[in-house]
Amino acid sequence: MQNILEVKNLKTYYSTDSGTARAVDGVSFSLRRNRTLGIVGESGCGKSVTALSIMRLVPIPPGYFAGGEIFWKGTDLLRLSEEEMRKMRGNEIAMIFQEPMSSLNPVYTCGNQIVEQILLHREISGREAKEAAIEMLRLVGIPSPFERFNAYPHEFSGGMRQRVMIAMALSCDPSLLIADEPTTALDVTVQAQILELIGKLQADTGMSVILITHDFGVIAELCEEVLVMYASKVVEEGSVSQIFSDPLHPYTTGLLKSIPRVSSKKQRLNVIEGNVPSATHLPEGCRFANRCPLADEHCRKFEPRLEEYDPGHRAACWKIRA
């Protein structure tokens, strides 16, 4: 099956007062049509910047692309003009951002914001755009969509605002949806509803999805393939079954062990000691070495390469099956 998205050796850096921050440092992956890719890792690992790079929404300056290619259906997005990229955003590739309240304009009704998106990419009348927007609100499960069309963002709950964002993202029938922490700050019941909605819409439309999260439960529920990122790099990639049943990298193992489990015994939650290194002061060698229980001097001096250990299952670690 042909890949619709191919990211090759992407490097997205930021110029800061403390030096160059290597937010994304040599990331490569691909995505096929009608597939869901999960990108998982702690905060500060480069997940969101990877998504913003695909959308060409990295603020320049201070950000800049130091290298790499992003091929969308054979076209390198990094070589498109800003006008060409504007036509692509929301039409071919759409994105749901982390916090819907800050993503929606508080002085415009939710319906009008969806209409604006539709009119930007489709040659239809304002009346037809309004009808399409109301239908999208109905599709994402907002009750009384005709009346709620004229509601402002502050009149919706967090879960309903997230549904409006999904309606806006899908209003032009994109081929790829990037969902950046779509369930952040939502209660568990609403989280389940939003994830179920994304899965249903994908099944109905055949779009591809990139789901960014720090929650392996979300990955298990929605994704077929997984990228594990740490300190601006991919440290492991594989299918969901490979990652869950046979994790290769100590960081992946640590994340999986940190998942709370219901048990009759009282036991402390496993944690990964330490913090993700700063993107401006990345260590030489393996970037996880200072937190890894298996690390030795060789790990601290030499950086491992991402290598394939099973078909489709790759990891970057000196200690795999040693």
Side-chain angles (χ1 to χ4, degrees), residues 199-250:
K200 181 181 182 300
L201 292 172
Q202 182 188 25
D204 291 344
T205 63
M207 66 181 175
S208 301
V209 175
I210 294 178
L211 182 64
I212 297 171
T213 183
H214 57 266
D215 187 339
F216 262 111
V218 173
I219 293 290
E221 184 172 342
L222 274 185
C223 302
E224 289 107 9
E225 288 133 27
V226 187
L227 285 186
V228 181
M229 289 190 68
Y230 183 79
S232 311
K233 280 187 172 291
V234 175
V235 296
E236 185 167 357
E237 63 175 313
S239 68
V240 166
S241 60
Q242 288 171 331
I243 296 295
F244 277 83
S245 63
D246 185 27
L248 297 176
H249 199 282

Side-chain angles (χ1 to χ4, degrees), residues 176-187:
L176 171 62
L177 174 67
I178 302 175
D180 187 3
E181 302 275 10
T183 58
T184 296
L186 301 179
D187 62 60

